[in-house]
Amino acid sequence: EVQLVESGGGLIQPGGSLRLSCAVSGFAVNDHHMSWVRQAPGKGLEWISIMYSGGRTYYADSVKGRFTISRDNSNNTLYLQMNSLRGEDTAVYYCARTDNFGFDYWGQGTLVTVSS
Amino acid sequence: EIQMTQSPSSVSASVGDRVTITCRASQDIYTWVAWYQQKPGKAPKLLIYTASSLQSGVPSRFSGSGSGTDFTLTISSLQPEDFATYYCQQSNSFPFFTFGPGTKVNIK
């Protein structure tokens, strides 16, 4: 059974850093493209980052230079390192298995709140 | 960046109704559209991919159509569990995905 479980969210002050984790079971994280998608409270969905199965990474302009996606193949876990956090980064963050058409498996999400 | 719009932003319908949601892309995206259902407090669920392909396990009352810039998600006979928000998403600019703003299906 495929499962994605995010963790690491919480309350953080503006300018702070946080690392999110996405523990994957049911498939190897390096066999598939993997993305992070976020959703601000009461708002729509925003794709923010992808790591290809081959390791190449891409970012949305809104997070480029501040966020870094990575993975640990031995622990089958995807990460999102978030630096220089802003109020507009407040959202539920989802990890999702990604194909060239979209996202077929999603985690349950982890809430990040950026506030002083 | 490819922009996605949806209409209506919300719709009120009754169980058994046929519901149609429209998605429009700012440029030709061929059939690179997916549709998702999201219930409050839950992750989105993939319903349709490449405009008209039904994801495994999704009931056949859901269907998708369209190509180019105009796409449609249809629920042929609305069920109680279908009250949710629906999002379209383009992948023509893979890996730079963009989503529509969502359509909320409410109980009439």
Side-chain angles (χ1 to χ4, degrees), chain A residues 42-74:
Chain A
K43 302 297 184 183
L45 300 163
E46 179 189 17
W47 169 84
I48 57 171
S49 183
I50 187 171
M51 174 169 271
Y52 282 3
S53 56
R56 184 171 289 188
T57 61
Y58 293 91
Y59 301 90
D61 287 344
S62 58
V63 305
K64 191 183 296 184
R66 300 187 300 123
F67 290 11
T68 302
I69 190 171
S70 63
R71 70 188 180 208
D72 181 339
N73 296 339
S74 61

Side-chain angles (χ1 to χ4, degrees), chain A residues 99-115:
Chain A
D99 207 320
N100 59 343
F101 56 75
F103 314 99
D104 58 355
Y105 288 97
W106 298 65
Q108 86 288 350
T110 187
L111 175 63
V112 173
T113 304
V114 183
S115 176

Side-chain angles (χ1 to χ4, degrees), chain A residues 7-109:
Chain A
S7 61
L11 175 63
I12 186 76
Q13 291 190 337
S17 298
L18 210 55
R19 189 178 81 157
L20 306 183
S21 301
C22 171
V24 173
S25 57
F27 67 92
V29 70
N30 59 333
D31 275 351
H32 292 267
H33 308 328
M34 295 293 296
S35 289
W36 289 95
V37 177
R38 69 183 180 183
Q39 186 170 36
K43 302 297 184 183
L45 300 163
E46 179 189 17
W47 169 84
I48 57 171
S49 183
I50 187 171
M51 174 169 271
Y52 282 3
S53 56
R56 184 171 289 188
T57 61
Y58 293 91
Y59 301 90
D61 287 344
S62 58
V63 305
K64 191 183 296 184
R66 300 187 300 123
F67 290 11
T68 302
I69 190 171
S70 63
R71 70 188 180 208
D72 181 339
N73 296 339
S74 61
N75 287 319
N76 214 32
T77 299
L78 183 75
Y79 300 100
L80 185 69
Q81 177 67 42
M82 305 187 297
N83 299 332
S84 304
L85 283 161
R86 307 165 180 166
E88 55 264 36
D89 296 318
T90 294
V92 174
Y93 286 74
Y94 297 99
C95 63
R97 195 175 83 170
T98 307
D99 207 320
N100 59 343
F101 56 75
F103 314 99
D104 58 355
Y105 288 97
W106 298 65
Q108 86 288 350

Side-chain angles (χ1 to χ4, degrees), chain B residues 75-89:
Chain B
I75 310 172
S76 61
S77 178
L78 198 66
Q79 297 302 300
E81 60 268 31
D82 300 337
F83 292 96
T85 299
Y86 293 84
Y87 294 93
C88 62
Q89 165 248 301

